[in-house]
Amino acid sequence: MKGQFFLIGALLIVLMLYIGIAPLLSPSHIGPEIGEDISNMFENIEMEYPRAFNLGLVSSSAEQKLVNFSSFIAEEASERSVTLSSLWLITQNVSDNLNITVGNFLGYNTSVTLNVSGTVNTLYVEDSKINSTVFSSPPSEFQLIVNFNTTESNLLLEKYKANFYSVLEIRKGTDKIVGEIKA
Amino acid sequence: MKGFWRTVESVFAIIMLMSFLLLVGSTYFIATAETDLSFVGYEALKELDTRGELRQYAVTGDGDSINSKISMRGFNHSISICRYGGTCTGQYPDAEDVIVSNYIISGHNSYDPLVVRLYAWRRT
C-alpha cells in the first residue's frame, strides 16, 4: 500500500507544479515581449533622429529631411503594429536672429508655445506639417521653454549651433515609452 | 515481493515527475530563447553599425555582405533591406518560425532612410 502513496504523491506534486507554472506558459507570456520590442525601436530612433538632422544639415534641407524621416519611421512603426508620435523642433542662426522650426507628428493639430529668453511666440502646427518663427537677436546662449498640450520642456541652447530637440512617444498595446532626444 | 512492487511504484512516481519537469522546462526555455533571439539580432546589427560595417553596405543594398558578418550559432539567417514605400531587396526566407530583427538607418554620407531586417530561423 505504501508504494501507491508515492504514485499519488507524484501526481499531486505534478498537479501543484502545473497550477503554479501554467500562467508562465500561457501564450501571452511566452510570446515576443512587447516591452523589449518597442524598447529596441525607441533606442534605435533615439540614435537615428540626430543623424537624420545632421545629414539634413549637410544638404541644407534639415527640415525637409526630418519631415521625410518622421513619416518613414511612422510607416515602419505601423508595419510592426506600433504607434509612434513625435514633436520636434530645430533652431538655426539666421543673420544673428534665431529661426525655430517645429515639426508636428503627434497625429493631430497642435499649438506650440515657444519662450526664448522672455520673448513668447505661439505656433499653430498642423499634423504632419512644419511651421517656423523667428526671434530677433537673442543672446548667444539662450533659454528655450517649449509648451504643447501638457508637456513643458526647458532647454539651455547656443544660438550659433544648430540644435535638435524632440519628444518621442512609442506605444504598443498597453506598453508605452516616452522620452526626449537632444542633439 | 511487497518490497519489489513498492520499488516499481516509486520508480514510476519518479519517472512521472521527471517527465513533467523536462516537458515543462523545455517548452519554457525554447520559448524564452526565441523571444531573446529578436533582441540578439537587433544587438548584432547595432554592433555592426558601431564598428562602421553596416551603413555602407545597407545604402548600396548589399545584404549579403552584412549577412556574412553576422554569426548566430544554431540559426540560419538572411538580410533584407527595405526603403521608404516598402521596396525591399532580399527575400523573406522559406522557413518556419522565422524571427525578425529590425534596424532603422537614416543614411550613410547622405540622407537615405532604410530598414535593415535580419531574419533568423533554427537550423534543421
Side-chain angles (χ1 to χ4, degrees), chain A residues 94-99 116 119 121 133-139 159:
Chain A
V94 180
S95 309
D96 221 33
N97 296 323
L98 183 75
N99 185 298
V116 175
T119 308
N121 275 354
T133 186
V134 175
F135 289 85
S136 298
S137 307
K159 182 167 76 171

Side-chain angles (χ1 to χ4, degrees), chain A residues 3-4 6 13 17 30 33 36 40 43-44 48 51-52 55 65 68-69 71-72 75-76 79-80, chain B residues 6 9-10 13 17 20-21 31 35 39 42 46 55 84-85 102-104 106 108 111 113-115 117:
Chain A
Q4 283 130 349
F6 285 123
I13 291 170
L17 282 175
I30 62 177
E33 286 185 28
E36 190 173 273
N40 289 345
E43 183 196 68
N44 191 186
E48 221 49 40
R51 281 180 188 268
L55 291 170
K65 297 295 189 262
N68 183 278
F69 189 69
S71 304
F72 174 67
E75 184 190 78
E76 171 61 18
E79 274 184 33
R80 296 193 227 167
Chain B
R6 257 181 221 171
E9 282 161 340
S10 312
L17 271 173
F20 175 78
L21 290 175
T35 302
F39 176 71
Y42 169 79
K46 192 172 94 175
R55 286 168 194 263
Y84 199 179
N102 302 285
Y103 194 84
I104 297 168
S106 57
H108 182 36
Y111 178 74
L114 49 86
V115 182
R117 299 196 205 284

Side-chain angles (χ1 to χ4, degrees), chain B residues 17-85:
Chain B
L17 271 173
M18 295 298 285
S19 309
F20 175 78
L21 290 175
L22 278 174
L23 183 77
V24 163
S26 61
T27 311
Y28 182 75
F29 286 114
I30 287 170
T32 308
E34 289 185 355
T35 302
D36 291 346
L37 194 63
S38 174
F39 176 71
V40 170
Y42 169 79
E43 285 294 316
L45 291 169
K46 192 172 94 175
E47 172 65 23
L48 274 187
D49 191 21
T50 307
R51 294 207 311 257
E53 295 178 352
L54 182 70
R55 286 168 194 263
Q56 55 188 0
Y57 298 119
V59 295
T60 53
D62 188 358
D64 290 341
S65 293
I66 297 171
N67 199 37
S68 68
K69 291 177 185 296
I70 291 169
S71 169
M72 295 173 89
R73 192 176 290 175
F75 289 86
N76 290 316
H77 45 84
S78 67
I79 293 285
S80 174
I81 296 165
C82 299
R83 291 182 186 276
Y84 199 179

Side-chain angles (χ1 to χ4, degrees), chain A residues 27-89:
Chain A
S28 63
H29 193 88
I30 62 177
E33 286 185 28
I34 290 166
E36 190 173 273
D37 186 30
I38 63 167
S39 155
N40 289 345
M41 192 176 192
F42 189 91
E43 183 196 68
N44 191 186
I45 292 170
E46 195 178 24
M47 291 187 298
E48 221 49 40
Y49 242 137
R51 281 180 188 268
F53 171 56
N54 285 328
L55 291 170
L57 286 175
V58 169
S59 61
S60 307
S61 58
E63 293 92 343
Q64 289 316 312
K65 297 295 189 262
L66 282 173
V67 166
N68 183 278
F69 189 69
S70 301
S71 304
F72 174 67
I73 56 176
E75 184 190 78
E76 171 61 18
S78 142
E79 274 184 33
R80 296 193 227 167
S81 308
V82 172
T83 307
L84 188 150
S85 54
S86 67
L87 185 132
W88 49 258
L89 62 86

